[in-house]
Amino acid sequence: MTVLIKGGAVVNADRTFNADVLCSDGRIVDIGEGLDAPGGATVVDAGGQYVMPGGIDPHTHMQLPFMGTVASEDFESGTAAALAGGTTMIIDFAIPNPQQNVMDAFNEWRGWAQKAVADYSFHVAITWWDESVHEDMGTLVRECGVNSFKHFMAYKGAIMADDEILVNSFSRALELGAIPTVHAENGELVFRLQNALAETGMTGPEAHPLSRPPECEGEAANRAIRIAEVLKVPLYIVHNSCIQSLEAITRARNEGQRVFGEVLAGHLLIDDSIYRHPDFEVAAAHVMSPPFRSKEHQDALWRGLQAGNLQTTATDHCCFCADQKAMGKDDFRKIPNGTGGVENRMEVLWHHGVGTGRLTMNEFVAVTSTNAAKIFNIYPRKGSISVGADADIVVWDPEATKTISTKTDHQKVDYNIFEGMQIKGCASHTISRGKVCWADGKLDVERGVGNYVNRPPYAGYYSALKIQAERARPVPVER
Ligand code: URP
Ligand code: ZN
Ligand code: ZN
């Protein structure tokens, strides 16, 4: 299959230049001005548009079994919705139940993802510890293309990782050249606050943000950072929602520590007043953890992104429909936590980021694609328009306008957290592994063509860390 993208401006994270892009057999094979279309090639007219690396959403949960139900979006519908919004790869999570064999869980998730229509990969969660988990982490890194492990510091009584698990798993990740990642919230405090609120009779969604204050997030972020500092391992903190965790990351980075931070499109744009909406369905549709925060936190997160202290943007796409959210009608603790957005991340970030002057186009590419590819070690195969890279490309029309709505989106969920938002700039064409999958407002996808993307262990960070550890070794004193 050959596709020629003609007449656009290529926007990479480092520069912008006018060029045509030729794709063949799933790869970019030529970039230059005035390229001719080989016989039989599909030509995409990109005049007046930008040609950018397809988005990478490094945090999704398709068909996640969670809080007594299963997320409504599956790997087929979810990757299709992603393509409609210009995202060509997701990194999802395999999450073993405590005591479940880690390889069994990983293989189960691999099976579910067979129907994906775009590329995907998996972080693997460490939810318990014994010798088999230690062994399986080795197998995953050496044989299964996994280079990142996730730790939930919240969700007590379910998948929460305590300090012992964090220390064991972070140490093992260091040995293997993998990166630990954390959901940073103090699960013990959240549990206590949830129960205290329920006991006072606060049972509605308005109690959700009160049970998960920013301090709980800041404490956990700082604890994970300090554990990583002592063990000399890099760290990636998912869905930072507040000033407290951003400050912990910024401080650590200023001290020279390799800590990376992700921010969700929702946390940049939606505020916590929504939890006081009189309609339970609307308020519950926004219940996710950490919760949406007030405007001052949103402003700080934008600044964190601009300053480079937050490097990636994600969605934590984890959809539950109204009937599922209703499980918590009388008790906010039972509302399944999660919201969608995989289809909208790129357009809301463009509109509110590039459209407001907060981000340059090149910074937009960095935070929606390139930085995730670099941190998770798949760059320049992903996250770059360059010869030899996978032909995962979005053609971006900066003049197109639309109103986001669940009536027109492709996500398998009955509520869109960006409902009614008017945006300017969106994907006119999405090309996945060299095939045009989204054009003229229509999807053309094939079940199961998405590929699992192997992510090799790191070399760079770890050799630097080994040199540092070696130098820090105490020198015996001669007597
Ligand atoms: O509320 C959320 N974020 N649900 C998905 C699981 C997680 O914590 O990432
Ligand atoms: Zn989380
Ligand atoms: Zn998540």
Side-chain angles (χ1 to χ4, degrees):
M1 195 176 304
T2 305
V3 175
L4 179 65
I5 307 168
K6 230 179 151 36
V10 173
V11 183
N12 270 326
D14 62 344
R15 68 188 180 115
T16 305
F17 54 99
N18 291 328
D20 304 336
V21 178
L22 183 65
C23 312
S24 188
D25 296 328
R27 296 276 175 90
I28 297 174
V29 294
D30 203 357
I31 301 175
E33 287 192 76
L35 297 184
D36 287 325
T42 303
V43 178
V44 173
D45 177 8
Q49 303 191 64
Y50 301 119
V51 180
M52 306 190 287
I56 300 173
D57 188 334
H59 187 160
T60 65
H61 300 279
M62 303 304 170
Q63 59 191 91
L64 173 69
F66 193 50
M67 294 182 73
T69 185
V70 178
S72 56
E73 187 88 271
D74 64 33
F75 280 92
E76 183 178 4
S77 61
T79 47
L83 290 172
T87 289
T88 49
M89 180 179 171
I90 58 168
I91 313 183
D92 209 274
F93 295 79
I95 307 179
N97 288 317
Q99 312 309 319
Q100 184 186 8
N101 178 276
V102 174
M103 292 308 299
D104 285 353
F106 177 71
N107 290 326
E108 200 169 23
W109 254 272
R110 288 286 313 263
W112 294 338
Q114 292 291 320
K115 56 183 176 288
V117 304
D119 285 6
Y120 57 93
S121 193
F122 287 108
H123 311 280
V124 176
I126 300 302
T127 55
W128 63 293
W129 193 259
D130 78 351
E131 202 40 46
S132 78
V133 179
H134 180 273
E135 277 305 298
D136 288 347
M137 285 177 74
T139 307
L140 286 164
V141 173
R142 292 192 200 104
E143 297 170 25
C144 305
V146 172
N147 68 16
S148 52
F149 292 97
K150 171 74 176 287
H151 309 81
F152 293 90
M153 298 171 78
Y155 306 124
K156 178 178 155 80
I159 50 177
M160 183 169 103
D162 61 17
D163 284 1
E164 187 180 352
I165 297 176
L166 297 184
V167 169
N168 280 322
S169 176
F170 283 25
S171 307
R172 181 66 171 143
L174 176 65
E175 280 172 13
L176 296 167
I179 189 165
T181 78
V182 292
H183 166 138
E185 282 185 300
N186 183 314
E188 191 61 46
L189 276 172
V190 169
F191 181 70
R192 179 176 280 241
L193 291 171
Q194 283 180 322
N195 293 342
L197 286 157
E199 272 162 32
T200 64
M202 277 189 90
T203 56
E206 70 281 6
H208 177 69
L210 303 177
S211 70
R212 313 184 89 102
E215 292 75 16
C216 285
E217 188 177 330
E219 184 284 324
N222 197 54
R223 179 156 39 101
I225 286 169
R226 293 309 172 195
I227 292 172
E229 182 187 20
V230 171
L231 298 175
K232 298 210 181 316
V233 64
L235 178 68
Y236 179 92
I237 304 185
V238 306
H239 54 40
N240 292 278
S241 74
C242 64
I243 293 168
Q244 285 80 345
S245 60
L246 173 62
E247 280 181 348
I249 292 172
T250 306
R251 198 163 48 238
R253 290 177 64 84
N254 285 342
E255 288 166 3
Q257 207 180 327
R258 272 191 188 81
V259 178
F260 304 102
E262 166 192 287
V263 62
L264 306 185
H267 282 133
L268 289 165
L269 295 168
I270 297 168
D271 77 72
D272 56 355
S273 61
I274 196 73
Y275 296 115
R276 299 190 291 281
H277 197 285
D279 184 346
F280 171 85
E281 273 196 17
V282 175
H286 292 83
V287 167
M288 60 97 52
S289 298
F292 299 123
R293 309 281 191 198
S294 61
K295 177 98 174 40
E296 57 171 336
H297 292 286
Q298 292 167 36
D299 291 345
L301 294 172
W302 276 111
R303 287 196 296 272
L305 208 51
Q306 290 173 288
N309 287 314
L310 300 173
Q311 297 76 32
T312 61
T313 58
T315 56
D316 198 359
H317 187 85
C318 184
C319 297
F320 299 104
C321 292
D323 58 332
Q324 297 173 291
K325 293 278 183 179
M327 291 163 64
K329 185 94 187 80
D330 303 315
D331 184 347
F332 72 94
R333 294 170 295 183
K334 297 189 179 142
I335 302 171
N337 283 206
T339 54
V342 74
E343 184 168 349
N344 309 116
R345 177 184 65 121
M346 305 271 288
E347 60 203 19
V348 301
L349 271 153
W350 178 276
H351 180 83
H352 292 277
V354 181
T356 57
R358 282 170 170 136
L359 300 174
T360 66
M361 292 193 297
N362 309 92
E363 287 165 347
F364 170 84
V365 168
V367 302
T368 55
S369 182
T370 308
N371 291 350
K374 286 182 179 172
I375 292 169
F376 295 111
N377 212 18
I378 45 175
Y379 181 83
R381 174 182 166 191
K382 302 286 188 189
S384 130
I385 304 284
S386 57
V387 171
D390 285 353
D392 283 0
I393 298 170
V394 58
V395 180
W396 198 261
D397 183 349
E399 296 303 324
T401 56
K402 76 182 218 192
T403 304
I404 295 173
S405 174
T406 191
K407 293 192 189 82
T408 46
D409 73 23
H410 301 78
Q411 301 176 144
K412 218 199 240 176
V413 61
D414 54 9
Y415 194 89
N416 190 315
I417 55 169
F418 303 113
E419 184 72 32
M421 188 180 281
Q422 296 183 349
I423 52 107
K424 186 171 175 202
C426 59
S428 71
H429 298 75
T430 308
I431 291 127
S432 169
R433 290 285 186 108
K435 177 180 180 293
V436 181
C437 292
W438 169 253
D440 305 320
K442 283 191 203 69
L443 275 168
D444 178 12
V445 294
E446 199 184 322
R447 181 181 165 95
V449 298
N451 289 293
Y452 174 74
V453 177
N454 281 296
R455 293 177 296 121
Y458 299 81
Y461 301 145
Y462 282 85
S463 54
L465 288 164
K466 275 188 189 131
I467 294 168
Q468 281 183 347
E470 193 65 25
R471 290 187 157 200
R473 241 203 332 237
V475 182
V477 180
E478 292 204 10
R479 290 180 187 277

